Amino acid sequence: MTTFHALYGHQPEGEWAAPGRVNLIGEHTDYNLGFVLPIALAQTVRVQARRRTDGRLRLYSAQGDGSVTELTTEDLAAGTVTGWARYPAAVVMALVEAGHRVGGADLLFDSDVPTGAGLSSSAALECAVAVAYNDLFGLGLGEQELALLAQRAENRFVGVPCGVMDQMASMCCRAGAALYLDTRDLSARQVPLDLAGAGLRLLVIDTRVKHDLADGAYAQLRAGCERAAELLGLPALREVPLTGLEEALTRLPAELRPLVRHVVTEDDRVRQAVALLDAGDPAALGPILTAGHASLRDDYRVSCAETDLAVAAAVAAGAFGARMTGGGFGGSVIALVTADTADAVAGSVTEAFREAGHAEPVIHHAEPASGARKLS
Ligand code: GLA
């Protein structure tokens, strides 16, 4: 791999990292101002960076096509940036728009967060740039402010109307804990989660079905939820209590009811999951995960044949529970298993994929890792 010096002719001022995430439970709840429970992955986007005085942004990715993308302030303003460079460019634009005095920079990225796998590689990229800029330009912003800024960057300058979960996870997660986040006021609690200590493994099964959230399905689902909240006279679906769900459904058109049922029951599953983790019983999360998947499959309809098969095969092979994680339409499935059975469950899922004629899934496992940070 090339070095920063070889590319840009000087040394970086520092190196920063931001992780991808898996969400344990709480899917499609964030833009409904509900609850989520993600963990950060050990896989990160790393960025080496040095400030420039001419306002230009030069970007290079070790996973890219070998070229340096050079952007001027005019390119940023015109919004004509394409490809992966949109994400770092969007963060710089969001900083400028928010009135921060930032300039250009030379940036070199390297990442082991798989892209298109539902593991938030884009949020990791955004958050890596956000922490690097925060330090380099002495902005003094806190983790939460940086996460909101990265979300705004994606909403406004990439065009994906995502919620705040991925950016909050990448910024605020801690090793050994899941982040219990209330997305209405961003109050958060680190819930201790020691999978290895409990003799457990969390398999992350990348189905290799890629789905681009920018293609409109996500935006439509979000719009459906907002419409339902409006019809119910509420600011967001988070305000529908579980006990009031049935009555609320009678006041909605048939096509919106499954969306609301998913969101309201999913918020409840997050609360149940946190109670079990607080009680020191992570294995008991299993049935909640599988119920969450059924809700995503049958009510929210963001599942696909491969994610359904991975869940079914993992559970049939003895997993405590399994579910699709992230936005959906492909991406990754998590499965909670004992350390002893992890290899056998992974083998069964791989075999089921082979029999069904699907591409071989990529299976690894996750322990709650650290959020964004300066490396050197
Ligand atoms: C994507 C979005 C998140 C969240 C999830 C679904 O990852 O970026 O904000 O909505 O989908 O839970």
Side-chain angles (χ1 to χ4, degrees):
M1 185 189 129
T2 187
T3 62
F4 193 93
H5 190 272
L7 279 171
Y8 299 125
H10 44 219
Q11 296 297 341
E13 292 181 85
E15 182 172 17
W16 292 261
R21 62 97 189 92
V22 290
N23 186 22
L24 295 177
I25 190 78
E27 221 64 84
H28 292 279
T29 48
D30 60 355
Y31 51 81
N32 291 300
L33 305 188
F35 300 95
V36 295
L37 190 65
I39 62 170
L41 296 173
Q43 287 89 344
T44 57
V45 170
R46 272 110 35 219
V47 61
Q48 297 181 349
R50 181 177 196 90
R51 284 167 290 175
R52 294 177 61 86
T53 50
D54 61 2
R56 284 169 186 251
L57 205 53
R58 292 200 291 182
L59 309 161
Y60 176 89
S61 166
Q63 284 70 46
D65 62 5
S67 66
V68 172
T69 302
E70 184 158 342
L71 304 172
T72 61
T73 321
E74 291 74 49
D75 294 327
L76 292 179
T80 52
V81 190
T82 56
W84 68 271
R86 282 177 301 163
Y87 296 95
V91 172
V92 176
M93 286 157 74
L95 282 166
V96 170
E97 189 186 58
H100 297 293
R101 294 169 61 86
V102 295
D106 288 338
L107 304 168
L108 184 163
F109 294 93
D110 193 6
S111 171
D112 57 357
V113 185
T115 56
L119 302 176
S120 288
S121 59
S122 35
L125 186 50
E126 293 155 6
C127 289
V129 175
V131 275
Y133 259 66
N134 192 39
D135 285 352
L136 285 174
F137 292 95
L139 305 179
L141 300 173
E143 289 174 345
Q144 212 181 78
E145 289 167 292
L146 292 173
L148 285 170
L149 188 118
Q151 181 205 15
R152 195 159 59 244
E154 184 151 344
N155 290 167
R156 289 198 22 78
F157 302 111
V158 182
V160 178
C162 61
V164 78
M165 167 171 72
D166 302 343
Q167 291 79 8
M168 280 295 286
S170 189
M171 287 303 312
C172 305
C173 278
R174 298 284 177 269
L179 183 77
Y180 178 30
L181 175 69
D182 180 340
T183 65
R184 184 171 63 184
D185 61 6
L186 298 189
S187 58
R189 177 158 71 83
Q190 305 288 342
V191 184
L193 175 57
D194 176 5
L195 291 165
L200 299 174
R201 287 250 172 103
L202 188 69
L203 296 179
V204 180
I205 304 163
D206 175 3
T207 65
R208 304 192 34 215
V209 179
K210 292 184 192 275
H211 182 87
D212 187 354
L213 288 185
D215 85 348
Y218 182 91
Q220 273 176 24
L221 289 163
R222 181 173 180 156
C225 288
E226 286 167 358
R227 173 95 188 106
E230 194 184 310
L231 289 171
L232 294 170
L234 296 170
L237 291 182
R238 150 25 179 307
E239 308 298 338
V240 179
L242 187 62
T243 49
L245 175 60
E246 289 308 320
E247 188 275 329
L249 294 181
T250 63
R251 291 193 279 136
L252 292 170
E255 72 275 13
L256 294 179
R257 286 180 207 151
L259 297 184
V260 176
R261 190 160 51 225
H262 167 74
V263 171
V264 175
T265 58
E266 185 80 349
D267 269 338
D268 186 58
R269 280 185 286 273
V270 179
R271 289 192 208 93
Q272 288 180 42
V274 170
L276 291 169
L277 293 185
D278 283 340
D281 193 2
L285 247 52
I288 298 175
L289 303 184
T290 310
H293 186 77
S295 182
L296 289 170
R297 182 191 60 210
D298 302 336
D299 277 342
Y300 222 66
R301 304 202 175 196
V302 290
S303 190
C304 68
E306 289 83 350
T307 48
D308 290 345
L309 180 62
V311 169
V315 171
F320 292 111
R323 62 179 286 273
M324 186 207 95
T325 188
F329 310 102
S332 295
V333 161
I334 52 172
L336 187 64
V337 298
T338 63
D340 296 347
T341 57
D343 290 346
V345 173
S348 293
V349 173
T350 303
E351 179 58 18
F353 270 53
R354 203 187 53 73
E355 274 172 20
H358 300 320
E360 189 175 331
V362 178
I363 307 182
H364 45 105
H365 70 98
E367 270 290 339
S370 309
R373 60 208 177 263
K374 187 168 197 297
L375 295 178
S376 62

